[in-house]
Amino acid sequence: MSSVKTAVFPVAGLGTRFLPATKSVAKEMLSIVDKPLIQYAAEEAFEAGINKLVFIVGRTKNSIIDHFDKAYELESELALRGKDRMLKVVKDVIPDGVSCVFIRQSEALGLGHAVLCAEAAVGHHPFAVLLPDDLIHNDGDGCIKQMVQVFDEYQASIIGTQTVAIEESGKYGMVAGGQVTDRVAKVEEIVEKPAPADAPSDQAIVGRYILTPGIFDLLRTTQRGAGNEIQLTDAIASLRDHEQVLSYSFEGRRYDCGSKIGYLQATVDFALEHDELAKDFRRYLKTLEL
Ligand code: G1P
């Protein structure tokens, strides 16, 4: 059985790119077709055998807490009306045996600081980190399940990566290192949001990590870095001085749902795969003179 049982979801960011939609609704609650981004990320974690979800929330994120709460009134109303399918959808938001912890990140000091806020809830165990803005679809095993399998084999921290155009390096943590297998590499260089000329390679960090608990001590002393924030990438760079850190080029397609174009691409692709919608939506798209 896998030793990765806890997932951390840093969801305190303001989502300014989607204003005014995100003025009172958490950006992670924006839906792709009929499911909020945070639910896709949670389901990816459930699939990997994770049974404890730790959400690092900001002040405007109560809708996330409500989403994962039990909805007694809604459930009894659906049961009364015999809407069994929808009742199952609502109940499956959190499967039996999964627990949720919500922690307030009172200051927006960056991703590294958000992960540090999870320390007490994670304890001294390896854990996953999922950034719900990065929606990853794969027909086979989901991204975090693939990474848990790699963790079980190597027992080392793992960063999910993807090839990007080098001009985009300023948007990502970038890594470089020696290949171990087709998809696994040793992380030898890692830097947060470098200019293209300084990028060590074209391998970008996407929002999926498996980390050993040694990261917490390092996060405590990590100074502010890119964007004047405490960066997870910088703590991982220090972790390399103590332990092996691997990167994993996952199987699947990533949508950057923190950007409007990525969000729209995901909406179109997921609608075209949706049981109830696919046929009508495809027919509609064909009428567009593009
Ligand atoms: C964060 C990380 C960055 C990573 C990115 C993936 O940046 O700091 O290393 O490449 O997520 O989405 P953010 O997009 O939160 O600025």
Side-chain angles (χ1 to χ4, degrees):
M1 213 170 63
S2 165
S3 44
V4 183
K5 292 280 152 208
T6 304
V8 175
F9 301 84
V11 288
L14 287 177
T16 48
R17 281 192 273 175
F18 281 90
L19 282 169
T22 48
K23 183 164 175 262
S24 66
V25 174
K27 65 175 167 153
E28 297 80 7
M29 286 301 296
L30 297 178
S31 276
I32 300 298
V33 185
D34 51 12
K35 200 188 284 184
L37 285 168
I38 190 74
Q39 183 69 31
Y40 285 100
E43 289 178 8
E44 197 184 317
F46 303 150
E47 185 208 358
I50 284 164
N51 59 17
K52 183 174 182 180
L53 311 185
V54 181
F55 299 92
I56 310 300
V57 296
R59 256 187 298 283
T60 58
K61 302 295 176 121
N62 290 345
S63 51
I64 295 178
I65 304 178
D66 292 342
H67 177 74
F68 288 104
D69 201 0
K70 196 168 167 64
Y72 286 107
E73 297 84 353
L74 179 61
E75 287 185 19
S76 55
E77 192 63 33
L78 291 171
L80 213 66
R81 294 199 209 161
K83 301 208 165 189
D84 295 343
R85 203 174 60 78
M86 287 333 285
L87 182 61
K88 183 169 173 351
V89 167
V90 170
K91 283 189 162 167
D92 283 352
V93 165
I94 283 288
D96 290 342
V98 173
S99 62
C100 295
V101 177
F102 299 93
I103 295 171
R104 271 277 171 91
Q105 183 187 15
S106 39
E107 288 172 285
L109 295 180
L111 179 59
H113 178 256
V115 171
L116 182 57
C117 290
E119 182 177 16
V122 169
H124 205 71
H125 306 285
F127 62 102
V129 177
L130 291 91
L131 309 186
D133 281 2
D134 283 328
L135 174 58
I136 300 179
H137 174 76
N138 190 38
D139 286 333
D141 288 343
C143 180
I144 215 73
K145 183 170 182 187
Q146 296 169 41
M147 289 175 62
V148 166
Q149 284 161 358
V150 178
F151 178 84
D152 287 341
E153 188 175 345
Y154 293 90
Q155 298 291 317
S157 291
I158 305 167
I159 303 169
T161 57
Q162 173 180 60
T163 306
V164 297
I166 204 82
E167 306 83 66
E168 307 256 282
S169 67
K171 295 200 320 205
Y172 299 97
M174 303 296 290
V175 301
Q179 289 304 131
V180 177
T181 68
D182 277 359
R183 294 190 178 273
V184 178
K186 270 188 198 165
V187 173
E188 278 149 17
E189 287 179 76
I190 172 166
V191 47
E192 180 69 8
K193 304 199 170 89
D198 303 324
S201 80
D202 58 0
Q203 295 303 301
I205 303 176
V206 295
R208 298 292 184 278
Y209 309 78
I210 308 275
L211 297 169
T212 54
I215 197 74
F216 292 123
D217 277 343
L218 300 165
L219 280 169
R220 239 185 299 286
T221 53
T222 300
Q223 302 299 308
R224 288 173 187 251
N228 201 28
E229 293 187 340
I230 298 172
Q231 296 292 351
L232 183 58
T233 300
D234 294 344
I236 295 173
S238 312
L239 188 63
R240 276 199 55 255
D241 297 337
H242 306 271
E243 307 171 7
Q244 171 163 267
V245 175
L246 301 172
S247 65
Y248 175 70
S249 165
F250 62 87
E251 256 177 88
R253 170 147 191 205
R254 163 188 170 261
Y255 299 88
D256 174 10
C257 292
S259 77
K260 285 176 192 157
I261 188 73
Y263 182 84
L264 288 172
Q265 286 163 347
T267 301
V268 171
D269 285 0
F270 279 63
L272 286 171
E273 293 290 320
H274 193 280
D275 288 348
E276 291 160 26
L277 283 176
K279 234 170 100 202
D280 289 348
F281 189 54
R282 187 174 299 275
R283 194 176 304 136
Y284 168 69
L285 289 182
K286 282 191 176 147
T287 66
L288 299 179
E289 289 177 19
L290 298 172

